Amino acid sequence: FSNIKQYLRIRKQIRYMLVFSQELISKKIYLNIINNFDQMPLTNSTKLILNQNNFVRMTSIQRLSLPYLLAGGSLLINSKPGTGKTLLIMIPVSNLSFRY
């Protein structure tokens, strides 16, 4: 019974995060603050790799999620293909690997 309660609590939190993210995107809150990967607190090696592969401007889902992921947070992201989710996952991984 406790597993069901925990599942429902987590599901509610995830639903809240997705609704909150969609709200931010629709209102364009936060999306105009950071536009480029150079403005993010990334290692120089990560920035260099992004620039060499012509990744300069972030998509809206990247702008919204990357600061949270770099701070160690976890997200469940559901968005259309081509919105930059795969790169979004790889940036914190490469950033950590270049730090150590």
Side-chain angles (χ1 to χ4, degrees), residues 1-93:
F1 186 69
S2 66
N3 287 341
I4 294 172
K5 277 185 164 182
Q6 184 179 8
Y7 168 76
L8 292 174
R9 184 174 45 85
I10 291 170
R11 187 172 166 202
K12 185 178 179 182
Q13 289 172 349
I14 290 169
R15 188 178 307 137
Y16 173 75
M17 285 190 306
L18 291 174
V19 168
F20 182 68
S21 297
Q22 289 300 322
E23 242 180 70
L24 290 177
I25 290 171
S26 67
K27 292 180 181 177
K28 297 194 187 267
I29 297 172
Y30 188 77
L31 297 180
N32 295 322
I33 296 172
I34 297 173
N35 292 317
N36 299 329
F37 288 109
D38 287 339
Q39 296 171 302
M40 294 299 300
L42 302 171
T43 62
N44 290 333
S45 300
T46 303
K47 288 180 183 180
L48 181 65
I49 289 172
L50 289 168
N51 284 330
Q52 286 175 344
N53 291 289
N54 296 321
F55 291 113
V56 178
R57 294 187 59 82
M58 291 189 281
T59 64
S60 59
I61 198 72
Q62 291 167 343
R63 278 182 235 144
L64 227 119
S65 306
L66 192 55
Y68 185 72
L69 291 174
L70 288 173
S74 298
L75 286 176
L76 176 67
I77 299 171
N78 182 15
S79 64
K80 294 179 182 178
T83 56
K85 294 181 298 292
T86 305
L87 181 62
L88 178 64
I89 293 166
M90 292 310 298
I91 290 173
V93 172

